[in-house]
Every structure is written in C-alpha cells, then in structure tokens.
Amino acid sequence: NLREGAEQKVVFITGRVHPGETPSSFVCQGIIDFLVSQHPIAHVLREHLVFKIAPMLNPDGVYLGNYRCSLMGFDLNRHWLDPSPWAHPTLHGVKQLIIQMYNDPKTSLEFYIDIHAHSTMMNGFMYGNIFEDEERFQRQAVFPKLLCQNAEDFSYSSTSFNRDAVKAGTGRRFLGGLLDHTSYCYTLEVSFYSYIIGGTTAAVPYTEEA
C-alpha cells in the first residue's frame, strides 16, 4: 500500500504516556517485534496497513522515575485538547501528525490505540468511547470482542465504554471526537500483575516475555 497515489490505511499506536506503567512498554515492544517478524500474519499486516508507533510519549518522566507526570509535573494524558509545543512537546507533535493524516484524503486512520497498564485490575482490557449513533457504537465493540476470542488474557467483561468528564483530555476521548465514524479509538490496559483464564480462578502472573 506504499505505491504512489495509493490510499494508506494507518494504525497509530502510542505507549508509556504514564511513565510508571512499565508493562505498556513490554506490550509495545511485543507489537513491534511481531510486526517486523517473518510470521505470515505479520507479513499480511505489513502488506495492507501502515503502522505508526510512538512507544514512549513521556520520555522525561520515564528517565526521572516519575509515576504519572512529565518533568514539568503534567499528566500528559489530560492535555490532548490543547497541548503546548513547549510544555507538552511529544503530545503536540503526535497530535499534529494525526491531524495532518486526518486531513490527507489519501490517508485513512483506521485505529488509534493508546497502551497503558493498570495497577488494580486483572487481565488485559480496553476502554472505548460512547457515541449517539448506535450502529457506530456496536461496530466499536467488535475489536475488543475479537481480542477476547484470540487472547486468553484479554477480558471483554472488564472492557468498558464511557465519556466521563475526567477523561475528556485523554487521547482516546479527544481523537474519538475528532476523527470520523470510520476510525476506532481505544485505550488498551494490561494488568501490572496477572490474568485469570476464563473458567478458572487461578491467577497467572505476567512476565516480561508474556
């Protein structure tokens, strides 16, 4: 799909906006390792999609060992509405790139996925947006359901769709409002600790490899 003049279907992935959520980096690394592998599914994905990945949105917070904030004390995931090029440069750059792609008729932004880690919940799960259009809302539920069928550690029952005011400045909420009905925006959460396989009660600890 990189032929001259061909439409690009883009999947945009971001991670580590909260520096203390280290599992998000392992998930992001796993995605990158898979996409550049010789696996036949990875080959098909590369043939049909363009993946743009910003694996660490808060590098200064990670370097300093902060849990949630940047060097200047900002929770970057509450500043998507109007990021400052001076105070929130990584957010500003990513947002400008996404808007540029959105305005390009040759680019279709299919998915935006922001990877986080959760300190109290188990398993992997997602947050999605709520829309007045019921058909759009139903279509948005398909991807988490597919994940649940294909990943033993993913929980659809823990997945939720919301539009809480406190989440208004997050990437998922902002881009869900900006992009049109053909785009899907999610927060992907993965537990710090472990997951429970359906039908059992035993917790399986996450490892770096898993």
Side-chain angles (χ1 to χ4, degrees), residues 112-201:
Y112 170 75
I113 301 172
D114 188 26
I115 306 172
H116 288 252
H118 207 287
S119 59
T120 59
M121 300 276 283
M122 305 276 264
N123 293 65
F125 58 95
M126 279 183 150
Y127 292 124
N129 295 314
I130 290 177
F131 300 101
E132 300 298 336
D133 181 352
E134 184 178 351
E135 195 262 343
R136 184 181 183 187
F137 176 69
Q138 294 293 343
R139 279 191 288 116
Q140 188 189 212
V142 171
F143 183 58
K145 287 179 179 178
L146 289 172
L147 273 179
C148 188
Q149 291 174 11
N150 288 278
E152 67 176 9
D153 62 320
F154 188 87
S155 169
Y156 187 76
S157 61
S158 295
T159 294
S160 64
F161 302 88
N162 62 60
R163 53 180 171 196
D164 301 347
V166 71
K167 303 281 190 179
T170 65
R172 164 181 62 87
R173 283 288 307 282
F174 169 74
L175 293 171
L178 170 73
L179 304 174
D180 63 27
H181 65 92
T182 63
S183 301
Y184 299 85
C185 300
Y186 303 96
T187 300
L188 172 62
E189 298 270 1
V190 61
S191 172
F192 270 84
Y193 169 54
S194 63
Y195 61 97
I196 296 175
I197 299 174
T200 71
T201 56

Side-chain angles (χ1 to χ4, degrees), residues 47-127:
E47 284 287 306
H48 291 87
L49 298 166
V50 175
F51 287 86
K52 294 188 182 291
I53 303 175
M56 190 175 287
L57 287 180
N58 195 342
D60 49 335
V62 170
Y63 175 79
L64 291 166
N66 291 353
Y67 184 74
R68 194 168 181 90
C69 295
S70 66
L71 167 65
M72 298 179 67
F74 291 108
D75 180 346
L76 296 181
N77 206 34
R78 296 297 182 271
H79 289 275
W80 276 89
L81 290 172
D82 188 26
S84 159
W86 179 74
H88 327 106
T90 52
L91 232 58
H92 182 267
V94 168
K95 179 181 174 180
Q96 291 301 112
L97 178 58
I98 289 175
I99 291 174
Q100 177 185 331
M101 289 191 300
Y102 177 64
N103 291 328
D104 182 352
K106 291 292 186 182
T107 301
S108 173
L109 185 54
E110 303 283 305
F111 280 86
Y112 170 75
I113 301 172
D114 188 26
I115 306 172
H116 288 252
H118 207 287
S119 59
T120 59
M121 300 276 283
M122 305 276 264
N123 293 65
F125 58 95
M126 279 183 150
Y127 292 124

